[in-house]
Amino acid sequence: MTEPPFRRVVVIGAGLMGTSVALALRRSGVEVLLEDADPGNLRVAVSLGAGVPVSSGDATGGGPADLSDPTDLVVVGVPPAALGTVIAEALARFPAAAVTDLGSVKAAALADTRAHASAGPGLDRYVGGHPMAGSEQSGPLAARADLFDGRAWAVTPHVDSRPDAVAAVDQLARTCGAFPVQLSPGEHDEAVALVSHLPQVASTVVAGLLTTAAEGHLVLAGQGLRDVTRIAGGDPELWTQILSANAEPVARLLHEAADNLHRVAHTLEKRDAGEAGLADLRNSLERGATGVRRLPGKHGARPEAFSPVPVLLPDRPGELARLFADVGAAGVNIEDVRIDHSPNTPAGLVELWVHQDTVPALLEALAHHGWDVHG
């Protein structure tokens, strides 16, 4: 039997992220102790098998866990406004453990931790962390052991971080199924401003326009609008804290995006701009397409290596399982899948993304089994 990568890990904060980390660690046989200021969150996380409580009564009927045994690692998964205080407290309470966090902004968390931990030793055991995964849902009921599988996990040591603490956070990421990416706190915040925080604001702004739309217009909404607005359903209080903590780089990108939007709007307003105006519009659209192509695909492959195959799916029990079975029988691997639910129709459109070399074989197999392939 393989030895667990950690003897014991304490997770402080049993929300979506903390509970998902705990479930992923339990999947690898790690002993996990849980803490949360909300007794309800703690009870749910314990009932999901994420670990046992540290200081409140064990929801399974026993007493609190014994903290006399050594703790290898403490993972702090609390809201951004509380990170510095809780990290500093964890460094003091667990003097032999490395301490990391799951916060979305690293420079502010480090500065707050320095301010609260300045009176005592232990800051060299702190290494920031940020798994690049999540959900528009919140709370332990949305947690999953596989939430981080195949995802990037930013590891952000500061200048005084001990190598063994960095190694522990690196191992945490790998144990949870992610791949660690090491950045400085400042580099991290610049990166997530573009790849996470700006999209959140853009999604929120577009979704906000829907509040005044006529009901009859929203019936026409397709998957494109749902894709753009999905993350706008995130917790407003949490995102207020995240954006406030990373305000400067996010504001800079918002100004740049707003300038580009204004340029497109002015082009569209110039109805008599002729070919020059159309060229400006086309250039803006081509720049967007170029940006999308820069995003890495599955397993780091180029996105253009995969092609979509749209299939009409009847809205009946078992149809999706039958489709997947037919694709598997053809020896084709589904790299990704998207489902477009059409309102007021007895069918949906399933987009199967497969390696482009397998498209001919897949089309032949789908035709053989009577599937209606679109496009």
Side-chain angles (χ1 to χ4, degrees), residues 188-259:
H188 166 275
D189 291 353
E190 289 286 344
V192 296
L194 176 60
V195 304
S196 176
H197 303 168
L198 175 65
Q200 179 69 37
V201 176
S203 176
T204 298
V205 170
V206 174
L209 296 176
L210 303 181
T211 60
T212 57
E215 290 295 332
H217 295 179
L218 294 179
V219 173
L220 300 177
Q223 194 60 36
L225 180 63
R226 290 181 171 85
D227 287 345
V228 169
T229 58
R230 178 184 61 81
I231 59 174
D235 180 1
E237 175 57 34
L238 174 62
W239 274 103
T240 297
Q241 294 184 34
I242 292 172
L243 294 171
S244 298
N246 204 26
E248 185 177 334
V250 176
R252 187 170 60 250
L253 287 169
L254 284 172
H255 282 302
E256 183 178 345
D259 289 343

Side-chain angles (χ1 to χ4, degrees), residues 74-322:
V74 179
V75 180
V76 178
V78 301
L83 274 175
T85 302
V86 178
I87 293 169
E89 290 173 351
L91 289 169
R93 290 173 57 203
F94 302 93
V99 177
T100 188
D101 70 295
L102 308 175
S104 301
V105 182
K106 306 320 313 174
L110 175 59
D112 288 348
T113 300
R114 283 190 188 279
H116 288 92
S118 58
L123 192 63
D124 58 349
R125 291 182 284 110
Y126 168 64
V127 177
H130 179 204
M132 299 304 297
S135 169
E136 65 275 16
Q137 300 176 328
S138 60
L141 281 174
R144 305 194 330 256
D146 63 354
L147 184 65
F148 312 108
D149 287 355
R151 300 300 190 96
W153 189 305
V155 178
T156 61
H158 55 89
V159 293
D160 298 319
S161 295
R162 285 175 14 186
D164 59 333
V166 178
V169 179
D170 184 279
Q171 183 60 58
L172 170 68
R174 297 182 189 280
T175 303
C176 290
F179 59 94
V181 178
Q182 193 167 132
L183 300 164
S184 72
E187 289 172 333
H188 166 275
D189 291 353
E190 289 286 344
V192 296
L194 176 60
V195 304
S196 176
H197 303 168
L198 175 65
Q200 179 69 37
V201 176
S203 176
T204 298
V205 170
V206 174
L209 296 176
L210 303 181
T211 60
T212 57
E215 290 295 332
H217 295 179
L218 294 179
V219 173
L220 300 177
Q223 194 60 36
L225 180 63
R226 290 181 171 85
D227 287 345
V228 169
T229 58
R230 178 184 61 81
I231 59 174
D235 180 1
E237 175 57 34
L238 174 62
W239 274 103
T240 297
Q241 294 184 34
I242 292 172
L243 294 171
S244 298
N246 204 26
E248 185 177 334
V250 176
R252 187 170 60 250
L253 287 169
L254 284 172
H255 282 302
E256 183 178 345
D259 289 343
N260 291 335
L261 286 171
H262 284 140
R263 189 157 46 249
V264 173
H266 291 152
T267 299
L268 294 173
E269 287 173 343
K270 296 176 183 176
R271 298 178 185 276
D272 58 350
E275 285 301 318
L278 291 176
D280 287 342
L281 179 59
R282 190 178 300 110
N283 287 339
S284 294
L285 296 172
E286 288 177 349
R287 186 167 184 250
T290 299
V292 168
R293 287 193 293 270
R294 291 198 65 197
L295 292 172
K298 185 179 178 183
H299 306 312
R302 300 188 323 275
E304 57 266 29
F306 306 124
S307 297
V309 176
V311 183
L312 192 67
L313 186 76
D315 189 12
R316 296 192 298 264
E319 289 298 294
L320 187 60
R322 184 170 72 86

Side-chain angles (χ1 to χ4, degrees), residues 11 17-26 75 102 148 153 172 176:
V11 176
M17 300 298 283
T19 303
S20 293
V21 167
L23 290 170
L25 290 170
R26 293 294 304 129
V75 180
L102 308 175
F148 312 108
W153 189 305
L172 170 68
C176 290

